[in-house]
Amino acid sequence: MNINETLAREFGIKLWQVENTVALIDDANTIPFIARYRKEATGSLDDQLLRDLADRLSYLRSLEEQKEKFKASIEEQGLLTEELAAAIDAAKTLTEAEDLYRPFRPKRKTRASVAKAKGLEPLAMKIYEQAQDFDPFAEAEQFVTDEVENVQAAIDGAKDIIAEMISDDPDGRKQLRYVCKAHGNITSAAAQEELGVYETYKEYSEPVSRIANHRILAINRGEKEGCLKVVLDVEKAHGVSVLTGLHIKNNSKSAALVREATEDAYSRLVFPSIEREIRNELTDRASADSIKVFAKNTAQLLMQPPVKGRVTIGLDPGYRTGCKVAVVDENGKVLDTGVIYCAPPHKRIDEAKRIIKGFVKKYDVKMFAIGNGTASHETEEFAAEVIRELDCGITYMVVSEAGASVYSASKLAAEEFPQFDVSLRSAVSIARRLQDPLAELVKIDPKAIGVGQYQHDMPPKELSAALDGVVEDCVNSVGVDLNTASPSLLLRVSGISSAVAKNITAYREENGSFKSRSELKKVPKLGPKAFEQCAGFLRISGGKNVLDNTAVHPESYAAAQGLLKLCGVSDADVASGNISALNEGVKKAGIPALAKQLEVGEPTLADIVSELNKPGRDPRDELPQPLLRSDIMGMEDLKAGMELKGTVRNVIDFGAFVDIGVHQDGLVHISQITNRFIKHPSEVLKVGDIITVWVLSVDVPKKRISLTMKKPKE
């Protein structure tokens, strides 16, 4: 298999794009760096396609390695033929290669191996030939020994050998696999009386070819928890006929024995194996889809616009231990902390109001961030009442606490806030999540952020890899302030290791702010390769070189300066935004001509022009701002038909959960998102979207709210 040609065909791109991308990956370049700074080499492939290509490259290389191992093992047995080697080389999947290797795989003790040890293989082969004039029972008499007590024992042993031969036949497995996928059903039944959330699946059946991914995961979890019994249901006669069609030659006495062996092979060996394969394949497919949804939601959550320039009070609600309070300034620095009791059982409202109002006046607080955990509703009611009494333009937002407790108890949080207890650290994190979601959420294991479905059932390695890639792409697309970024944020920058991230902050503390990107070369352990990978993603505001506050890579500074000179634009003009002459010059000369003159690629020059237009820009600022509130509403206030504004909190296979400000997210089912057919809610919605919804129904006892995005008819 030519891996590069295979990748080009599968991804629908040119061979040269694949060859260049593979070379860059093999040269230890990161995906963000390749996507942003090697566009000429890749043909401007985006980061997601590059990640998919890198994953597929890894799979295909692993497949080729496995094929070589299979051939080497068969060769050691002296059984490798040219035809078999060619068939293994041509296998497109690991399953195909394993089917071919199965007859030669060293086996643990089986019924067939026991029969072979007793010398019954010659009898089995004669029976399998199914000659019309052959009497298998007469022949079996010759195989009666001390180990084989009678004719029937010899026949049974021979059938065990034949059954294993049939099980190992790749053609039979391939055809049966097709039948099971085309005609099989995944069927579940109750395994206990109390099923809870799995009640839907107590008598459930759906074709393998059509079952939805989220139902696969739900059924799997129900089985894992002992609530459900799950099987692949295929008509046995149909399955057996596939194998008999391949192995039964006539109506001889031997053929009757081969038929018995075939039925045994199907029930005992082949079908159970195929069932496991198909269920694993369905689980892998569902997991991969769920990971994609989780990754997309995580990216959208991380890229939520920051609410800049506002002193914020973070409120971590609680009942018995009170509500922890943290005041942070515009840059996330902690100004003050405290504890109030605004919810049962203590409920010291007057004292709590006095403390909060004092913080507001002392620090000119503009915003409250309220955690959505225990006692959140009571805390929100309290905050809304304080805002009404102060009447000074303060707004609030209920913020997801997902992962906050994980961060608060982490070693990282202890290093950042050694003077605070765990709960106060949570209050700080909640405030900062509203101010700059990306900078705060990178401190938390992405799996703990909670914007997916069945994430705890996902393969940990694959999930972590996907989410780490998402975080890396988000951080690098936004860029990082070299002089303020925490080690957690720096660690997510292309090419920066944990040790280098700590060394950068240590250098900063010892030498003061970085004045230029080139100063990074003085940081211990940050070598030329690391500098190449990270420099373009790190920003320096107010430094010596205006280009240091853009995504222009240092390797392109000469081209950027040359462009500015050609257009008569100074660094001061760029810093002040006075670059009309630059845009006019580029428009007049054209990107192709300028790129040729400056000896730089056209995509790179286009990026340079874009960056010079917006030095220090944050792409998140162009997105709709978060929906802030100043008053509260409860579920009991909702009525069918009511129109509301809401924020999409999670997008899953069957719909989206929307925060409408009542402390209980409502569900917009996929059928209620749009009037046109969509395969997945993510075609229309993404996490963080501000949308208009209408209430369909409210079930207060069950805490269920059904919403629609389809405007009701007047």
Side-chain angles (χ1 to χ4, degrees):
M1 178 191 295
N2 185 308
I3 290 178
N4 286 351
E5 289 179 359
T6 300
L7 290 171
R9 184 172 60 254
E10 289 181 356
F11 286 91
I13 57 180
K14 301 287 193 296
L15 181 59
W16 65 265
Q17 292 177 289
V18 173
E19 291 172 340
N20 290 346
T21 300
V22 170
L24 287 165
I25 291 171
D26 287 343
D27 195 32
N29 292 287
T30 67
I31 296 299
F33 176 80
I34 296 171
R36 185 66 177 79
Y37 298 113
R38 292 296 179 263
K39 291 181 178 179
E40 286 81 8
T42 69
S44 299
L45 299 179
D46 64 44
D47 49 12
Q48 187 54 57
L49 191 148
L50 287 168
R51 286 195 187 281
D52 291 344
L53 190 149
D55 289 343
R56 185 63 176 158
L57 171 66
S58 177
Y59 173 84
L60 292 176
R61 283 179 169 174
S62 176
L63 175 60
E64 290 304 301
E65 288 176 12
Q66 201 62 42
K67 287 180 186 178
E68 292 303 316
K69 289 180 182 178
F70 290 164
K71 289 191 294 183
S73 175
I74 300 170
E75 181 69 52
E76 285 179 11
Q77 299 171 48
L79 299 172
L80 186 65
T81 64
E82 289 185 9
E83 293 78 12
L84 179 57
I88 292 174
D89 287 337
K92 295 180 180 179
T93 66
L94 184 57
T95 298
E96 287 181 34
E98 286 177 336
D99 278 354
L100 292 165
Y101 178 56
R102 181 177 291 274
F104 309 96
R105 185 190 300 276
K107 293 180 173 66
R108 62 180 186 272
K109 188 176 181 180
T110 64
R111 281 163 50 172
S113 66
V114 170
K116 287 178 182 178
K118 292 178 179 179
L120 294 172
E121 189 168 15
L123 175 62
M125 300 312 296
K126 287 184 178 181
I127 293 173
Y128 185 72
E129 289 173 7
Q130 302 167 56
Q132 287 284 5
D133 57 352
F134 177 70
D135 186 344
F137 292 91
E139 183 73 16
E141 291 178 0
Q142 300 178 35
F143 290 87
V144 176
T145 64
D146 291 341
E147 290 185 305
V148 183
E149 56 191 39
N150 53 42
V151 168
Q152 190 59 50
I155 293 293
D156 289 344
K159 287 196 297 183
D160 286 340
I161 294 171
I162 295 169
E164 189 167 272
M165 287 169 50
I166 292 169
S167 172
D168 287 344
D169 175 40
D171 287 338
R173 297 182 72 87
K174 184 176 182 179
Q175 291 186 31
L176 185 59
R177 194 178 289 118
Y178 172 80
V179 167
C180 289
K181 289 181 178 180
H183 303 288
N185 292 304
I186 294 295
T187 300
S188 63
Q192 60 184 39
E193 288 187 11
E194 292 297 324
L195 295 181
V197 295
Y198 305 112
E199 189 71 27
T200 305
Y201 301 105
K202 68 179 180 181
E203 292 180 3
Y204 190 82
S205 184
E206 188 168 3
V208 170
S209 58
R210 294 205 304 267
I211 188 166
N213 291 326
H214 65 274
R215 286 198 284 275
I216 294 167
L217 296 174
I219 287 170
N220 285 355
R221 181 181 286 182
E223 182 181 40
K224 185 178 179 181
E225 294 178 5
C227 298
L228 301 174
K229 291 179 181 176
V230 185
V231 296
L232 172 61
D233 185 18
V234 177
E235 186 182 350
K236 183 177 178 179
H238 192 173
V240 171
S241 69
V242 171
L243 300 182
T244 55
L246 290 169
H247 297 284
I248 304 300
K249 301 176 182 178
N250 49 46
N251 293 318
S252 65
K253 291 180 181 179
S254 295
L257 295 176
V258 175
R259 183 178 296 277
E260 291 173 11
T262 302
E263 292 180 358
D264 175 49
Y266 176 86
S267 301
R268 181 170 58 87
L269 300 172
V270 189
F271 180 74
S273 175
I274 297 294
E275 180 180 32
R276 285 192 299 272
E277 279 183 22
I278 290 178
R279 289 205 57 200
N280 287 339
E281 189 177 308
L282 289 173
T283 299
D284 289 345
R285 186 194 79 192
S287 296
D289 181 72
S290 187
I291 287 172
K292 281 184 180 179
V293 171
F294 198 160
K296 182 180 286 188
N297 288 346
T298 300
Q300 292 159 357
L301 180 64
L302 292 173
M303 292 298 285
Q304 287 301 288
V307 183
K308 298 177 179 177
R310 302 189 198 184
V311 179
T312 302
I313 287 180
L315 298 170
D316 181 16
Y319 287 118
R320 185 180 56 81
T321 57
C323 174
K324 311 306 182 294
V325 183
V327 186
V328 300
D329 70 7
E330 300 92 332
N331 299 312
K333 179 183 177 182
V334 180
L335 301 175
D336 217 329
T337 61
V339 180
I340 60 173
Y341 297 91
C342 56
H346 307 295
K347 207 168 185 179
R348 301 202 288 266
I349 299 297
D350 291 340
E351 178 189 71
K353 285 182 179 179
R354 178 177 54 77
I355 293 171
I356 295 299
K357 288 178 179 178
F359 283 154
V360 169
K361 291 173 183 176
K362 182 177 181 180
Y363 299 109
D364 193 22
V365 173
K366 298 297 183 185
M367 192 164 57
F368 294 166
I370 304 168
N372 69 340
T374 305
S376 176
H377 188 63
E378 292 85 349
T379 305
E380 187 181 356
E381 289 178 333
F382 165 79
E385 191 173 334
V386 170
I387 288 171
R388 282 195 297 272
E389 291 177 6
L390 287 170
D391 193 24
C392 58
I394 293 176
T395 54
Y396 77 84
M397 184 170 172
V398 176
V399 178
S400 171
E401 289 184 16
S405 59
V406 176
Y407 161 72
S408 302
S410 69
K411 181 180 177 182
L412 176 62
E415 291 174 354
E416 191 173 7
F417 301 114
Q419 72 277 30
F420 297 151
D421 68 17
V422 170
S423 53
L424 284 174
R425 293 172 194 161
S426 288
V428 175
S429 180
I430 287 166
R432 288 176 168 181
R433 285 184 184 208
L434 186 52
Q435 292 182 320
D436 191 342
L438 180 60
E440 192 61 24
L441 291 174
V442 292
K443 301 173 184 176
I444 300 166
D445 182 346
K447 293 191 292 295
I449 294 176
V451 284
Q453 57 182 357
Y454 301 103
Q455 58 262 35
H456 301 296
D457 300 329
M458 297 301 99
K461 184 179 178 182
E462 287 85 345
L463 179 59
S464 294
L467 296 181
D468 286 344
V470 163
V471 176
E472 184 181 34
D473 287 342
C474 290
V475 169
N476 289 290
S477 67
V478 170
V480 170
D481 189 323
L482 182 56
N483 287 318
T484 61
S486 67
S488 303
L489 197 53
L490 289 167
L491 179 58
R492 298 294 188 170
V493 174
S494 168
I496 293 183
S497 65
S498 178
V500 170
K502 290 178 180 177
N503 289 346
I504 289 174
T505 52
Y507 181 93
R508 204 167 60 198
E509 290 170 5
E510 186 176 336
N511 300 283
S513 298
F514 285 88
K515 303 299 187 295
S516 68
R517 279 172 169 164
S518 59
E519 196 178 345
L520 273 167
K521 296 176 181 178
K522 298 179 182 179
V523 173
K525 296 186 178 180
L526 201 157
K529 187 68 176 182
F531 179 80
E532 176 193 54
Q533 298 296 303
C534 75
F537 302 109
L538 296 168
R539 310 280 187 269
I540 298 175
S541 178
K544 295 178 181 178
N545 190 336
V546 69
L547 295 177
D548 284 347
N549 197 30
T550 71
V552 177
H553 197 282
E555 66 186 11
S556 298
Y557 278 9
Q561 294 290 358
L563 176 65
L564 292 173
K565 187 174 181 180
L566 284 172
C567 297
V569 178
S570 67
D571 287 359
D573 291 334
V574 175
S576 65
N578 182 25
I579 56 166
S580 55
L582 169 69
N583 293 324
E584 289 171 8
V586 171
K587 185 177 180 181
K588 183 177 179 182
I591 290 287
L594 286 171
K596 188 173 182 181
Q597 184 176 351
L598 295 167
E599 298 182 341
V600 69
E602 291 180 27
T604 295
L605 184 60
D607 285 345
I608 290 172
V609 173
S610 175
E611 288 299 319
L612 291 174
N613 269 276
K614 296 178 181 179
R617 73 187 180 103
D618 187 333
R620 297 173 297 172
D621 292 341
E622 299 170 9
L623 300 171
Q625 290 295 301
L627 186 61
L628 302 173
R629 305 182 187 279
S630 59
D631 209 345
I632 188 171
M633 183 169 61
M635 276 187 73
E636 60 278 0
D637 299 318
L638 297 177
K639 299 289 185 290
M642 187 179 285
E643 179 180 330
L644 299 161
K645 286 281 187 184
T647 304
V648 177
R649 291 299 183 202
N650 199 4
V651 179
I652 51 179
D653 286 351
F654 53 84
F657 287 101
V658 181
D659 174 11
I660 52 174
V662 296
H663 193 59
Q664 180 65 46
D665 290 349
L667 174 66
V668 181
H669 189 267
I670 187 171
S671 62
Q672 295 296 326
I673 292 175
T674 178
N675 287 316
R676 63 183 174 85
F677 173 77
I678 55 174
K679 289 184 177 179
H680 198 277
S682 60
E683 294 175 36
V684 177
L685 297 173
K686 63 180 184 295
V687 171
D689 278 351
I690 309 297
I691 61 173
T692 301
V693 294
W694 288 267
V695 178
L696 286 176
S697 63
V698 182
D699 188 331
V700 176
K702 292 184 178 179
K703 295 185 176 180
R704 290 178 182 171
I705 305 169
S706 295
L707 304 171
T708 181
M709 291 173 61
K710 301 176 182 179
K711 186 175 182 179
K713 295 179 181 178
E714 299 293 338

